[in-house]
Short mmCIF file of all heavy atoms in Angstrom, two decimals:
data_model
loop_
_atom_site.label_atom_id
_atom_site.label_comp_id
_atom_site.label_asym_id
_atom_site.label_seq_id
_atom_site.Cartn_x
_atom_site.Cartn_y
_atom_site.Cartn_z
N ARG A 13 -4.00 -5.07 -12.36
CA ARG A 13 -2.79 -5.74 -11.89
C ARG A 13 -2.68 -5.78 -10.37
O ARG A 13 -2.12 -6.73 -9.82
CB ARG A 13 -1.54 -5.05 -12.46
CG ARG A 13 -1.48 -5.06 -13.98
CD ARG A 13 -0.14 -4.54 -14.47
NE ARG A 13 0.08 -3.14 -14.09
CZ ARG A 13 1.08 -2.72 -13.31
NH1 ARG A 13 1.95 -3.60 -12.83
NH2 ARG A 13 1.21 -1.44 -13.02
N PHE A 14 -3.17 -4.74 -9.71
CA PHE A 14 -3.09 -4.65 -8.25
C PHE A 14 -4.45 -4.90 -7.63
O PHE A 14 -5.49 -4.62 -8.24
CB PHE A 14 -2.61 -3.27 -7.82
CG PHE A 14 -1.16 -2.96 -8.13
CD1 PHE A 14 -0.41 -3.76 -8.96
CD2 PHE A 14 -0.57 -1.85 -7.56
CE1 PHE A 14 0.91 -3.47 -9.25
CE2 PHE A 14 0.75 -1.54 -7.83
CZ PHE A 14 1.49 -2.35 -8.67
N ALA A 15 -4.45 -5.39 -6.39
CA ALA A 15 -5.69 -5.61 -5.66
C ALA A 15 -5.51 -5.19 -4.20
O ALA A 15 -4.64 -5.72 -3.50
CB ALA A 15 -6.11 -7.07 -5.73
N ILE A 16 -6.32 -4.24 -3.76
CA ILE A 16 -6.27 -3.79 -2.37
C ILE A 16 -7.31 -4.57 -1.57
O ILE A 16 -8.39 -4.90 -2.07
CB ILE A 16 -6.53 -2.27 -2.28
CG1 ILE A 16 -6.28 -1.76 -0.86
CG2 ILE A 16 -7.93 -1.91 -2.76
CD1 ILE A 16 -6.32 -0.24 -0.75
N SER A 17 -6.98 -4.90 -0.33
CA SER A 17 -7.89 -5.61 0.54
C SER A 17 -7.59 -5.24 1.99
O SER A 17 -6.57 -4.60 2.28
CB SER A 17 -7.81 -7.12 0.33
OG SER A 17 -6.51 -7.61 0.65
N ARG A 18 -8.46 -5.64 2.89
CA ARG A 18 -8.24 -5.37 4.31
C ARG A 18 -8.81 -6.48 5.15
O ARG A 18 -9.77 -7.16 4.77
CB ARG A 18 -8.87 -4.02 4.70
CG ARG A 18 -10.39 -3.98 4.63
CD ARG A 18 -10.91 -2.56 4.76
NE ARG A 18 -10.60 -1.98 6.05
CZ ARG A 18 -10.60 -0.67 6.31
NH1 ARG A 18 -10.88 0.20 5.33
NH2 ARG A 18 -10.32 -0.23 7.52
N ASP A 19 -8.22 -6.67 6.31
CA ASP A 19 -8.71 -7.62 7.30
C ASP A 19 -8.94 -6.82 8.58
O ASP A 19 -8.00 -6.55 9.32
CB ASP A 19 -7.71 -8.75 7.52
CG ASP A 19 -8.26 -9.85 8.42
OD1 ASP A 19 -9.17 -9.57 9.22
OD2 ASP A 19 -7.78 -10.99 8.32
N ASN A 20 -10.18 -6.43 8.81
CA ASN A 20 -10.48 -5.58 9.96
C ASN A 20 -10.22 -6.28 11.29
O ASN A 20 -9.91 -5.63 12.29
CB ASN A 20 -11.93 -5.09 9.89
CG ASN A 20 -12.13 -4.02 8.83
OD1 ASN A 20 -11.17 -3.41 8.35
ND2 ASN A 20 -13.38 -3.79 8.46
N ALA A 21 -10.35 -7.59 11.31
CA ALA A 21 -10.08 -8.34 12.54
C ALA A 21 -8.60 -8.29 12.91
O ALA A 21 -8.24 -8.42 14.08
CB ALA A 21 -10.54 -9.78 12.39
N LYS A 22 -7.73 -8.12 11.91
CA LYS A 22 -6.29 -8.06 12.14
C LYS A 22 -5.73 -6.65 12.07
O LYS A 22 -4.52 -6.46 12.21
CB LYS A 22 -5.56 -8.94 11.13
CG LYS A 22 -5.86 -10.42 11.25
CD LYS A 22 -5.05 -11.21 10.24
CE LYS A 22 -5.30 -12.70 10.39
NZ LYS A 22 -4.52 -13.49 9.40
N ASN A 23 -6.59 -5.66 11.83
CA ASN A 23 -6.15 -4.26 11.67
C ASN A 23 -5.05 -4.15 10.62
O ASN A 23 -4.05 -3.45 10.82
CB ASN A 23 -5.66 -3.69 13.00
CG ASN A 23 -6.77 -3.42 13.99
OD1 ASN A 23 -7.95 -3.57 13.68
ND2 ASN A 23 -6.41 -3.03 15.20
N THR A 24 -5.24 -4.83 9.51
CA THR A 24 -4.21 -4.89 8.48
C THR A 24 -4.76 -4.59 7.10
O THR A 24 -5.83 -5.08 6.73
CB THR A 24 -3.54 -6.27 8.47
OG1 THR A 24 -2.99 -6.54 9.77
CG2 THR A 24 -2.41 -6.31 7.45
N LEU A 25 -4.03 -3.78 6.36
CA LEU A 25 -4.31 -3.43 4.97
C LEU A 25 -3.33 -4.17 4.08
O LEU A 25 -2.16 -4.31 4.44
CB LEU A 25 -4.17 -1.92 4.79
CG LEU A 25 -4.34 -1.36 3.38
CD1 LEU A 25 -5.79 -1.44 2.95
CD2 LEU A 25 -3.82 0.08 3.33
N TYR A 26 -3.78 -4.60 2.90
CA TYR A 26 -2.93 -5.33 1.97
C TYR A 26 -2.95 -4.72 0.58
O TYR A 26 -3.91 -4.05 0.19
CB TYR A 26 -3.39 -6.79 1.84
CG TYR A 26 -3.43 -7.55 3.14
CD1 TYR A 26 -4.62 -7.71 3.83
CD2 TYR A 26 -2.28 -8.12 3.67
CE1 TYR A 26 -4.67 -8.41 5.02
CE2 TYR A 26 -2.32 -8.83 4.86
CZ TYR A 26 -3.52 -8.97 5.53
OH TYR A 26 -3.56 -9.67 6.71
N LEU A 27 -1.89 -4.98 -0.17
CA LEU A 27 -1.85 -4.64 -1.58
C LEU A 27 -1.17 -5.77 -2.32
O LEU A 27 0.04 -5.96 -2.21
CB LEU A 27 -1.09 -3.33 -1.83
CG LEU A 27 -1.09 -2.84 -3.28
CD1 LEU A 27 -2.50 -2.43 -3.70
CD2 LEU A 27 -0.11 -1.69 -3.47
N GLN A 28 -1.95 -6.55 -3.06
CA GLN A 28 -1.42 -7.61 -3.91
C GLN A 28 -1.03 -7.00 -5.24
O GLN A 28 -1.87 -6.38 -5.91
CB GLN A 28 -2.46 -8.71 -4.11
CG GLN A 28 -2.01 -9.82 -5.05
CD GLN A 28 -0.88 -10.64 -4.48
OE1 GLN A 28 -0.96 -11.12 -3.35
NE2 GLN A 28 0.18 -10.81 -5.25
N MET A 29 0.22 -7.16 -5.63
CA MET A 29 0.74 -6.57 -6.86
C MET A 29 1.19 -7.68 -7.80
O MET A 29 2.08 -8.46 -7.46
CB MET A 29 1.91 -5.63 -6.56
CG MET A 29 1.57 -4.54 -5.54
SD MET A 29 2.93 -3.37 -5.31
CE MET A 29 4.17 -4.47 -4.60
N ASN A 30 0.57 -7.74 -8.97
CA ASN A 30 0.87 -8.77 -9.96
C ASN A 30 1.37 -8.13 -11.25
O ASN A 30 1.12 -6.96 -11.51
CB ASN A 30 -0.36 -9.61 -10.26
CG ASN A 30 -0.93 -10.29 -9.04
OD1 ASN A 30 -0.18 -10.85 -8.23
ND2 ASN A 30 -2.24 -10.27 -8.89
N ARG A 31 2.05 -8.94 -12.06
CA ARG A 31 2.57 -8.49 -13.36
C ARG A 31 3.30 -7.15 -13.21
O ARG A 31 3.04 -6.20 -13.94
CB ARG A 31 1.44 -8.39 -14.38
CG ARG A 31 0.90 -9.75 -14.80
CD ARG A 31 -0.25 -9.60 -15.78
NE ARG A 31 -1.48 -9.21 -15.11
CZ ARG A 31 -2.37 -8.37 -15.61
NH1 ARG A 31 -2.15 -7.80 -16.79
NH2 ARG A 31 -3.46 -8.09 -14.93
N LEU A 32 4.21 -7.12 -12.27
CA LEU A 32 4.92 -5.89 -11.96
C LEU A 32 5.79 -5.42 -13.11
O LEU A 32 6.36 -6.23 -13.85
CB LEU A 32 5.76 -6.09 -10.70
CG LEU A 32 4.96 -6.08 -9.41
CD1 LEU A 32 5.75 -6.75 -8.29
CD2 LEU A 32 4.59 -4.66 -9.02
N LYS A 33 5.88 -4.11 -13.24
CA LYS A 33 6.66 -3.46 -14.28
C LYS A 33 7.75 -2.61 -13.65
O LYS A 33 7.62 -2.18 -12.50
CB LYS A 33 5.76 -2.55 -15.13
CG LYS A 33 4.56 -3.24 -15.74
CD LYS A 33 3.68 -2.22 -16.46
CE LYS A 33 2.46 -2.87 -17.07
NZ LYS A 33 1.59 -1.88 -17.75
N PRO A 34 8.83 -2.33 -14.38
CA PRO A 34 9.86 -1.44 -13.84
C PRO A 34 9.29 -0.10 -13.37
O PRO A 34 9.80 0.48 -12.40
CB PRO A 34 10.82 -1.26 -15.02
CG PRO A 34 10.69 -2.54 -15.78
CD PRO A 34 9.24 -2.90 -15.68
N GLU A 35 8.26 0.40 -14.04
CA GLU A 35 7.63 1.66 -13.67
C GLU A 35 6.94 1.61 -12.30
O GLU A 35 6.58 2.65 -11.76
CB GLU A 35 6.59 2.07 -14.72
CG GLU A 35 7.14 2.12 -16.14
CD GLU A 35 6.91 0.82 -16.89
OE1 GLU A 35 7.72 -0.11 -16.71
OE2 GLU A 35 5.91 0.74 -17.64
N ASP A 36 6.74 0.41 -11.76
CA ASP A 36 6.14 0.26 -10.43
C ASP A 36 7.16 0.46 -9.31
O ASP A 36 6.78 0.48 -8.14
CB ASP A 36 5.50 -1.11 -10.28
CG ASP A 36 4.33 -1.32 -11.22
OD1 ASP A 36 3.53 -0.38 -11.40
OD2 ASP A 36 4.21 -2.44 -11.77
N THR A 37 8.43 0.56 -9.66
CA THR A 37 9.47 0.77 -8.66
C THR A 37 9.20 2.05 -7.88
O THR A 37 9.10 3.13 -8.47
CB THR A 37 10.85 0.83 -9.32
OG1 THR A 37 11.15 -0.43 -9.91
CG2 THR A 37 11.92 1.17 -8.29
N ALA A 38 9.08 1.93 -6.57
CA ALA A 38 8.75 3.08 -5.73
C ALA A 38 8.75 2.65 -4.27
O ALA A 38 8.77 1.46 -3.96
CB ALA A 38 7.38 3.64 -6.10
N VAL A 39 8.71 3.65 -3.40
CA VAL A 39 8.41 3.40 -2.00
C VAL A 39 6.90 3.46 -1.85
O VAL A 39 6.28 4.44 -2.25
CB VAL A 39 9.09 4.42 -1.07
CG1 VAL A 39 8.69 4.18 0.38
CG2 VAL A 39 10.60 4.34 -1.22
N TYR A 40 6.32 2.42 -1.29
CA TYR A 40 4.88 2.33 -1.14
C TYR A 40 4.48 2.68 0.29
O TYR A 40 5.04 2.14 1.25
CB TYR A 40 4.39 0.93 -1.50
CG TYR A 40 4.37 0.70 -2.99
CD1 TYR A 40 5.55 0.54 -3.70
CD2 TYR A 40 3.16 0.66 -3.70
CE1 TYR A 40 5.54 0.36 -5.08
CE2 TYR A 40 3.14 0.48 -5.07
CZ TYR A 40 4.33 0.33 -5.76
OH TYR A 40 4.32 0.15 -7.12
N TYR A 41 3.49 3.57 0.41
CA TYR A 41 3.06 4.09 1.70
C TYR A 41 1.60 3.76 1.99
O TYR A 41 0.74 3.88 1.12
CB TYR A 41 3.20 5.60 1.75
CG TYR A 41 4.62 6.12 1.62
CD1 TYR A 41 5.13 6.47 0.38
CD2 TYR A 41 5.43 6.25 2.74
CE1 TYR A 41 6.42 6.94 0.26
CE2 TYR A 41 6.72 6.73 2.62
CZ TYR A 41 7.21 7.08 1.37
OH TYR A 41 8.49 7.55 1.26
N CYS A 42 1.34 3.40 3.21
CA CYS A 42 -0.01 3.21 3.73
C CYS A 42 -0.51 4.55 4.26
O CYS A 42 0.27 5.32 4.84
CB CYS A 42 0.04 2.16 4.85
SG CYS A 42 -1.51 1.76 5.64
N ASN A 43 -1.80 4.85 4.07
CA ASN A 43 -2.34 6.15 4.45
C ASN A 43 -3.74 6.04 5.03
O ASN A 43 -4.55 5.23 4.57
CB ASN A 43 -2.37 7.06 3.22
CG ASN A 43 -3.27 8.27 3.39
OD1 ASN A 43 -4.40 8.27 2.92
ND2 ASN A 43 -2.75 9.30 4.04
N VAL A 44 -4.02 6.88 6.03
CA VAL A 44 -5.38 7.02 6.56
C VAL A 44 -5.65 8.50 6.80
O VAL A 44 -4.78 9.24 7.29
CB VAL A 44 -5.59 6.21 7.85
CG1 VAL A 44 -4.65 6.66 8.97
CG2 VAL A 44 -7.05 6.28 8.30
N LEU A 45 -6.85 8.95 6.43
CA LEU A 45 -7.28 10.32 6.72
C LEU A 45 -8.13 10.27 7.97
O LEU A 45 -9.26 9.79 7.95
CB LEU A 45 -8.06 10.90 5.55
CG LEU A 45 -8.64 12.30 5.76
CD1 LEU A 45 -7.53 13.30 6.08
CD2 LEU A 45 -9.42 12.75 4.53
N LYS A 46 -7.58 10.76 9.06
CA LYS A 46 -8.27 10.80 10.35
C LYS A 46 -8.08 12.20 10.90
O LYS A 46 -7.24 12.43 11.78
CB LYS A 46 -7.72 9.74 11.29
CG LYS A 46 -8.44 9.65 12.63
CD LYS A 46 -7.81 8.58 13.50
CE LYS A 46 -8.49 8.48 14.85
NZ LYS A 46 -8.26 9.71 15.65
N GLY A 47 -8.85 13.15 10.37
CA GLY A 47 -8.65 14.55 10.69
C GLY A 47 -7.52 15.15 9.87
O GLY A 47 -7.64 16.28 9.37
N GLU A 48 -6.45 14.42 9.74
CA GLU A 48 -5.32 14.78 8.91
C GLU A 48 -4.75 13.48 8.33
O GLU A 48 -5.10 12.40 8.78
CB GLU A 48 -4.25 15.52 9.70
CG GLU A 48 -3.65 14.72 10.84
CD GLU A 48 -2.64 15.49 11.63
OE1 GLU A 48 -1.46 15.54 11.20
OE2 GLU A 48 -3.02 16.08 12.66
N ASN A 49 -3.89 13.59 7.35
CA ASN A 49 -3.29 12.42 6.74
C ASN A 49 -2.17 11.86 7.62
O ASN A 49 -1.30 12.59 8.07
CB ASN A 49 -2.74 12.75 5.37
CG ASN A 49 -3.81 12.75 4.30
OD1 ASN A 49 -4.52 11.77 4.14
ND2 ASN A 49 -3.92 13.86 3.57
N TYR A 50 -2.22 10.54 7.83
CA TYR A 50 -1.16 9.83 8.52
C TYR A 50 -0.51 8.86 7.56
O TYR A 50 -1.18 8.24 6.73
CB TYR A 50 -1.71 9.07 9.73
CG TYR A 50 -2.17 9.97 10.85
CD1 TYR A 50 -3.48 10.44 10.89
CD2 TYR A 50 -1.30 10.34 11.87
CE1 TYR A 50 -3.90 11.27 11.91
CE2 TYR A 50 -1.73 11.16 12.90
CZ TYR A 50 -3.02 11.62 12.92
OH TYR A 50 -3.45 12.44 13.94
N TRP A 51 0.81 8.71 7.69
CA TRP A 51 1.59 7.88 6.78
C TRP A 51 2.51 6.95 7.54
O TRP A 51 3.01 7.29 8.61
CB TRP A 51 2.45 8.75 5.86
CG TRP A 51 1.70 9.79 5.11
CD1 TRP A 51 1.44 11.07 5.51
CD2 TRP A 51 1.09 9.65 3.82
NE1 TRP A 51 0.71 11.74 4.55
CE2 TRP A 51 0.48 10.89 3.51
CE3 TRP A 51 1.01 8.60 2.90
CZ2 TRP A 51 -0.19 11.11 2.31
CZ3 TRP A 51 0.33 8.82 1.71
CH2 TRP A 51 -0.26 10.06 1.43
N GLY A 52 2.76 5.79 6.95
CA GLY A 52 3.81 4.94 7.45
C GLY A 52 5.15 5.40 6.91
O GLY A 52 5.23 6.39 6.17
N LYS A 53 6.20 4.69 7.26
CA LYS A 53 7.54 5.03 6.76
C LYS A 53 7.78 4.51 5.35
O LYS A 53 8.73 4.94 4.70
CB LYS A 53 8.60 4.48 7.71
CG LYS A 53 8.60 5.15 9.07
CD LYS A 53 9.71 4.59 9.96
CE LYS A 53 9.72 5.26 11.31
NZ LYS A 53 10.78 4.72 12.19
N GLY A 54 6.94 3.60 4.89
CA GLY A 54 7.03 3.09 3.54
C GLY A 54 7.83 1.80 3.44
O GLY A 54 8.64 1.48 4.31
N THR A 55 7.60 1.08 2.36
CA THR A 55 8.36 -0.12 2.05
C THR A 55 8.77 -0.06 0.58
O THR A 55 7.96 0.28 -0.29
CB THR A 55 7.56 -1.40 2.36
OG1 THR A 55 8.38 -2.55 2.16
CG2 THR A 55 6.31 -1.52 1.50
N LEU A 56 10.02 -0.35 0.30
CA LEU A 56 10.57 -0.19 -1.05
C LEU A 56 10.30 -1.41 -1.92
O LEU A 56 10.59 -2.54 -1.54
CB LEU A 56 12.07 0.06 -0.97
CG LEU A 56 12.82 0.17 -2.30
CD1 LEU A 56 12.31 1.36 -3.10
CD2 LEU A 56 14.32 0.29 -2.05
N VAL A 57 9.76 -1.14 -3.11
CA VAL A 57 9.55 -2.17 -4.13
C VAL A 57 10.43 -1.82 -5.32
O VAL A 57 10.31 -0.74 -5.89
CB VAL A 57 8.07 -2.24 -4.56
CG1 VAL A 57 7.92 -3.19 -5.75
CG2 VAL A 57 7.20 -2.68 -3.40
N THR A 58 11.31 -2.74 -5.69
CA THR A 58 12.19 -2.54 -6.83
C THR A 58 11.91 -3.60 -7.87
O THR A 58 12.05 -4.80 -7.60
CB THR A 58 13.67 -2.60 -6.41
OG1 THR A 58 13.93 -1.61 -5.41
CG2 THR A 58 14.57 -2.35 -7.61
#
């Protein structure tokens, strides 16, 4: 249902979410492990 992708030229990560279910409701966070884990503030999907 979901597809992750990236555009290195734009320094951007993507998550295409299809056929969404109520159980997918959550705050979604971007993450990178660079010595330690770094997180964004998240974006809410309802």
Side-chain angles (χ1 to χ4, degrees):
R13 299 188 297 119
F14 290 12
I16 189 171
S17 62
R18 66 192 296 161
D19 187 336
N20 287 343
K22 295 182 177 180
N23 288 354
T24 302
L25 176 71
Y26 303 98
L27 184 68
Q28 177 67 51
M29 305 185 296
N30 302 316
R31 290 178 284 142
L32 284 160
K33 305 175 181 179
E35 306 94 277
D36 295 319
T37 295
V39 177
Y40 284 73
Y41 297 93
C42 180
N43 163 261
V44 61
L45 177 58
K46 183 181 179 293
E48 61 182 276
N49 279 305
Y50 291 89
W51 306 90
K53 293 181 179 179
T55 185
L56 176 63
V57 173
T58 302

